Amino acid sequence: MAQKTERLLPILTGQPVIPVLKIDRLDDVEPLARALVAGGLPAIEITLRTPVALEAIRLASRVEGAIVGAGTILNAADFGAAQAAGAAFIVSPGATGAVFDAADASDIPLLPGAITPSELMSALARGYSVLKFFPAEQAGGVAYLKSLASPFAAVRFCPTGGIGAANAPDYLKLPNVICVGGSWIAPDAAIMAGDWAEITRLSREAAAIARH
Ligand code: 3PG
């Protein structure tokens, strides 16, 4: 089955950086999503790493302009729960047959993770050519992605993991990178302090990073 790239690509090409969020308090969700939208990053990924994550997806989806995806999807049950919560897109750090099967049975686009050549080949065989690359810095970063470009000319990546304002421009210069993801736009300290202006400032800075 194919990836539903006609729905995924506009989300990933619409902004150079996808904020990756870990929500601890539901009261933070709406002001945080508004701050990111105001800063030019309407597509956001809320990770299923906290007990309130699914409710956070529901709340964030109500914020005008926000395009809310679910991240850290590890299995078919997570996929189903994220879909029921209204996620507009699904992100998984890796890929399994069960997650691909869940995506095949759904209208929601999936961004699956892959790092090794064999993982890339498995994803391609399932009809997926737009892939998350996680954990980007730890797995080999820009140099590794450059070396995948020739054998995997059809693949485009969204690297995440260890990316921040300082190294995001280097990733975004690569022709096989369509966007990057990261948590640096919404630091825990700023969320805890309710410093939404700071998050809008970081979003504006990230939204302005040039792509190749
Ligand atoms: C992810 O799931 O994409 C990563 O946890 C984001 O990594 P970062 O916190 O290093 O940006």
Side-chain angles (χ1 to χ4, degrees), residues 20 45 47 49 72 91 93 132 134 138 160-163 181-184:
V20 177
E45 174 189 330
T47 57
R49 296 183 195 176
T72 321
V91 184
K132 177 171 166 133
F134 169 83
Q138 298 81 350
T160 81
I163 301 181
S183 58
W184 86 91

Side-chain angles (χ1 to χ4, degrees), residues 66-116:
I67 304 163
V68 183
T72 321
I73 297 299
L74 301 183
N75 50 51
D78 288 347
F79 195 113
Q83 174 161 354
F89 61 100
I90 301 284
V91 184
S92 54
T96 62
V99 170
F100 282 131
D101 289 346
D104 285 351
S106 166
D107 287 339
I108 304 178
L110 167 69
L111 177 68
I115 288 182
T116 66

Side-chain angles (χ1 to χ4, degrees), residues 115-118 120-121 124 143-157 176:
I115 288 182
T116 66
S118 293
L120 292 164
M121 289 161 67
L124 284 167
Y144 188 109
L145 282 164
K146 269 188 192 163
S147 66
L148 292 175
S150 175
F152 295 100
V155 177
R156 295 289 174 273
F157 294 96
N176 60 349

Side-chain angles (χ1 to χ4, degrees), residues 14-78:
Q15 61 199 57
V17 179
I18 309 286
V20 177
L21 307 179
K22 182 173 75 59
I23 303 290
D24 289 302
R25 299 183 305 203
L26 286 174
D27 284 349
D28 295 330
V29 173
E30 291 180 48
L32 173 57
R34 277 199 294 273
L36 294 164
V37 172
L41 301 180
I44 62 185
E45 174 189 330
I46 295 181
T47 57
L48 264 58
R49 296 183 195 176
T50 62
V52 298
L54 291 169
E55 187 57 23
I57 290 168
R58 277 190 199 94
L59 291 175
S61 302
R62 286 195 216 144
V63 169
E64 196 178 340
I67 304 163
V68 183
T72 321
I73 297 299
L74 301 183
N75 50 51
D78 288 347

